[in-house]
Amino acid sequence: AARAVGLLFMVLLDLTALVGNAAVVGVIARTPALRKFVFVFHLCLVDLVAALTLMPLEMLVGSALGGSPGLCRVYLFLLVCLSSVCILSISTLSLERYYSVVHPLRYEVHMTPTLAAGVLAAVWLKAVATSVVPVLGWLSAERPPAQGCSLQWSPDAPCKVFVVFLAAFYFALPLLVIVVTYCGMFRVARVAAAHHGPLPTWLETPPGRRRSASLSSRSPSAAPRSTPHRTPGAGGKAAAVPLAVGG
């Protein structure tokens, strides 16, 4: 009964990942104004591939069908590869958002389709190179009855070095990048709110309010425009956006 309930939750989680990421990918693909968010599109696409391949394999290797060493190695390769791509994509997205908020002019000049394609290619090359390690035999993909399909480490030096590499470059460094970049964006939003200056483009007024303000400014009897009034809690809410996203 416990296994059946666990499998049910895994299926529901997989379906949620499929529907959610497919929806975001579809919205970005069909909306020209959103196509500039190439890193968000790439991250959702990777998550969609993981929901189509890695998560079903996770269900197989945890059942009686997962006794094949070949299937286990495929699962371990996809696990390391897609997880690495996801983590590196989140780090890249954090850096891209940081420069678009803190250095908007520099971002507009340097962020070209060629640079974005090069960054994504580097992400995939690094992830594939890392995930080849289990396939080459540095790690043995065995399936002990009590543990299931997992990475079994040998006591030799190469495996220990690989563990340190994974911990440093796929957890500690990405975490540091995310914390530093979102703290920087939080500080910029807080300073802008404190000085009642214009908010960054990703925190600007909702479209309906912008449209009404534009129509009123075009009216012949409209008074000269003044600095938009901001409610007392607006600055705190604007500063909380990058904090929530980073969390």
Side-chain angles (χ1 to χ4, degrees):
R3 290 183 179 181
V5 173
L7 183 61
L8 175 62
F9 275 103
M10 292 178 71
V11 171
L12 292 177
L13 182 62
D14 194 12
L15 291 176
T16 303
L18 286 171
V19 174
N21 287 288
V24 176
V25 167
V27 168
I28 295 178
R30 296 178 58 182
T31 308
L34 298 179
R35 291 175 185 170
K36 61 181 179 180
F37 296 107
V38 60
F39 294 111
V40 178
F41 181 84
H42 173 260
L43 179 60
C44 292
L45 196 61
V46 173
D47 286 339
L48 185 61
V49 172
L52 288 171
T53 59
L54 183 60
M55 296 176 75
L57 277 176
E58 172 72 27
M59 302 176 200
L60 287 177
V61 298
S63 65
L65 300 177
S68 169
L71 180 62
C72 188
R73 283 185 178 272
V74 171
Y75 164 72
L76 294 178
F77 175 83
L78 290 176
L79 175 65
V80 177
C81 181
L82 295 180
S83 299
S84 302
V85 171
C86 274
I87 294 173
L88 293 176
S89 297
I90 294 173
S91 303
T92 303
L93 179 60
S94 301
L95 289 172
E96 187 257 350
R97 290 292 86 199
Y98 174 82
Y99 277 102
S100 68
V101 171
V102 180
H103 305 289
L105 298 180
R106 190 184 305 174
Y107 172 83
E108 293 294 334
V109 172
H110 295 287
M111 182 51 65
T112 62
T114 302
L115 178 60
V119 170
L120 294 181
V123 166
W124 276 97
L125 286 175
K126 183 177 180 180
V128 171
T130 304
S131 57
V132 166
V133 174
V135 179
L136 293 179
W138 286 20
L139 310 171
S140 60
E142 300 175 355
R143 186 179 183 274
Q147 298 180 11
C149 182
S150 60
L151 296 175
Q152 301 299 310
W153 299 97
S154 61
D156 55 352
C159 287
K160 294 182 180 180
V161 171
F162 190 65
V163 171
V164 174
F165 173 79
L166 284 179
F169 287 92
Y170 291 100
F171 178 75
L173 186 58
L175 181 62
L176 178 63
V177 169
I178 293 171
V179 170
V180 170
T181 53
Y182 279 102
C183 284
M185 286 186 281
F186 179 80
R187 184 171 61 253
V188 169
R190 187 177 60 180
V191 170
H195 289 80
H196 299 281
L199 293 175
T201 56
W202 52 282
L203 294 174
E204 55 188 7
T205 310
R209 193 175 301 172
R210 289 201 307 269
R211 183 175 181 274
S212 61
S214 177
L215 291 177
S216 63
S217 66
R218 296 177 185 176
S219 174
S221 58
R225 291 187 300 174
S226 60
T227 303
H229 176 69
R230 185 172 301 157
T231 58
K237 293 179 180 179
V241 170
L243 184 65
V245 174

